[in-house]
Amino acid sequence: MRSPRRPARPTIYSPAFVLAFLANFCFFSNSSAFFLLPLYIKSRQGTEAAIGAIMGMYSGASILMQPPMGAAINRWGRKPLMAVGASLAVLVAGVFALLPPLGPLLYVLRFLQGAAYAFFFVANYTFIADTAPRERRGEALGIFGLSGIVSGAVAPAIGELIIHRAGFTPFFLFAAGLAVLALLMLGILPDTPRPKAEGAAGGVLRLLAQPQLTTALIATLVFGANMAAVFTFVPTFAQSVGIVRIGLFYLTYTTAAVLVRVFGGRLSDVAGRRRVILPGLLLLALGTLLLTGVASLTALALVGVLNGVAHGILYPALSAYIIDAVAPPDRGRAVGVFSASFLLGHMSGSFGFGFLVEKSGYPTMFTTAAGLTMVGLLLSLLAKEGRTEGPHESPGPESRWES
């Protein structure tokens, strides 16, 4: 007698997922290309302080605009808000190419880029949360995030080549073209139905009043701060210990993050979010603490592996946990608050750890960053057991903070 067939797992690779993935890759390629904007500012006799302030406008705009974006995407739909973000990205890159900005306009344009990110990312990430099968949500968010990781490596490399061979105007046109491609993808992307607004009163403050969500957001905040400690200061730290070339660090980091999401993407769906988040925070703290003893490129590459694995685990698992915790009408708000928390941690870490390096040196700074991550881990360990599925979804093993 034949045993009954097990039902096939629902796929995450629907046509809508693929289109959203490609649109995200094109949009984030536009955004990542502007990592090279300091070269342009420097060519216009901009100071280091001006570079920091102009580049910081992006994060400032994103942090301010992402939390309230959930109400907007519920009212107008996911796809229209993505289109607004991509259109803003085209406009800004076009202004750079055709009307080279000077003075205060640089700050305005960078702020608009941060606003574009807020519109596009919150809407697109929520779109994936809406359309992915619930039992594979963590995996879907992790795979989807690869579009941003890969664009961060590809777009600056191509952009640097264009700048050196043809100058800044073709580079900005290249960036504008990437955002146009994102718009074209959106043209054939189906939108998801707008969720009913019932039960959504209170907005962001109501979400923050939930202790378990607050704990997860604190973990996200320290995660972002730790990433700032690593990515902002590893280049200058490496020089201080005699490591000239650090490309291997970024290569091992990116490779580890990608491999974890490709081959371990379902881990938080199967084992539970908490069983993935807690070891991820511990691994992140360990990798950062090990930086205090790094004296060779090989050791630095090992840290890249540890931190890359931690990043590959934490970002989709934390975001999936927070999305699991709310009803569908609140998903956009949850995504906005999650992303804003990560960016706020990253921005605060960049500023705060910079002062700490000047006062006390790199070892103290990396130890402090690792310690903050352990605080996030401790708070997560002390979090009360409770269910995190939204009221409009059926519970599952992955939907518990205590699994």
Side-chain angles (χ1 to χ4, degrees), residues 131-395:
T131 56
R134 190 184 189 287
E135 62 270 31
R136 300 186 69 181
R137 183 178 289 156
E139 181 184 10
L141 293 174
I143 296 296
F144 178 75
L146 293 179
S147 58
I149 293 175
V150 174
S151 70
V154 173
I158 297 174
E160 188 175 32
L161 185 64
I162 293 172
I163 289 170
H164 287 302
R165 292 195 174 183
F168 285 104
T169 298
F171 163 72
F172 291 129
L173 289 173
F174 160 71
L178 292 169
V180 169
L181 287 176
L183 276 173
L184 293 176
M185 299 292 176
L186 295 177
I188 53 176
L189 180 73
D191 202 355
T192 56
R194 298 175 198 171
K196 295 179 181 179
E198 58 188 37
V204 171
L205 292 179
R206 183 174 55 80
L207 297 183
L208 296 178
Q210 301 179 44
Q212 286 181 282
L213 273 184
T214 303
T215 300
L217 290 171
I218 291 172
T220 303
L221 189 76
V222 298
F223 172 32
N226 193 298
M227 298 311 302
V230 173
F231 269 85
T232 304
F233 298 104
V234 156
T236 51
F237 164 72
Q239 288 183 344
S240 73
V241 295
I243 302 173
V244 179
R245 295 182 177 273
I246 61 169
L248 185 60
F249 168 79
Y250 295 106
L251 178 63
T252 56
Y253 182 100
T254 302
T255 301
V258 169
L259 290 178
V260 163
R261 294 197 185 190
V262 171
F263 295 105
R266 291 201 69 222
L267 198 56
S268 76
D269 292 325
V270 175
R273 310 294 187 215
R274 185 175 189 265
R275 290 178 179 172
V276 171
I277 291 169
L278 296 180
L281 288 169
L282 181 62
L283 196 62
L284 186 66
L286 176 62
T288 306
L289 187 62
L290 287 176
L291 280 169
T292 60
V294 163
S296 68
L297 180 58
T298 301
L300 189 62
L302 174 61
V303 170
V305 171
L306 294 176
N307 284 56
V309 169
H311 192 171
I313 289 172
L314 283 171
Y315 200 96
L318 279 167
S319 60
Y321 167 73
I322 291 169
I323 291 168
D324 288 347
V326 301
D330 280 328
R331 281 180 188 155
R333 290 186 178 93
V335 170
V337 171
F338 163 77
S339 181
S341 297
F342 180 82
L343 286 174
L344 180 60
H346 196 282
M347 187 173 71
S348 301
S350 296
F351 283 108
F353 291 142
F355 285 111
L356 191 56
V357 167
E358 288 187 3
K359 296 291 183 181
S360 304
Y362 288 104
T364 300
M365 185 272 291
F366 287 131
T367 302
T368 302
L372 286 174
T373 306
M374 290 303 295
V375 169
L377 173 61
L378 179 61
L379 290 174
S380 299
L381 281 169
L382 295 175
K384 291 182 180 180
E385 182 176 358
R387 311 193 74 83
T388 64
E389 73 274 357
H392 295 274
E393 298 181 309
S394 58

Side-chain angles (χ1 to χ4, degrees), residues 43-185:
S43 74
R44 297 271 171 168
Q45 287 74 53
T47 64
E48 299 295 334
I51 289 173
I54 291 168
M55 297 302 286
M57 294 297 289
Y58 182 98
S59 295
S62 298
I63 291 168
L64 286 173
M65 298 191 66
Q66 285 189 93
M69 197 57 63
I73 64 175
N74 283 348
R75 181 174 182 180
W76 303 106
R78 280 60 166 142
K79 181 176 170 180
L81 269 293
M82 283 187 255
V84 170
S87 298
L88 267 177
V90 174
L91 174 65
V92 170
V95 171
F96 270 104
L98 305 176
L99 300 169
L102 294 171
L105 184 56
L106 280 166
Y107 294 85
V108 174
L109 291 174
R110 191 64 178 156
F111 186 91
L112 288 175
Q113 285 184 315
Y117 173 88
F119 278 100
F120 189 92
F121 175 78
V122 174
N124 206 5
Y125 209 72
T126 306
F127 178 90
I128 295 299
D130 287 341
T131 56
R134 190 184 189 287
E135 62 270 31
R136 300 186 69 181
R137 183 178 289 156
E139 181 184 10
L141 293 174
I143 296 296
F144 178 75
L146 293 179
S147 58
I149 293 175
V150 174
S151 70
V154 173
I158 297 174
E160 188 175 32
L161 185 64
I162 293 172
I163 289 170
H164 287 302
R165 292 195 174 183
F168 285 104
T169 298
F171 163 72
F172 291 129
L173 289 173
F174 160 71
L178 292 169
V180 169
L181 287 176
L183 276 173
L184 293 176
M185 299 292 176

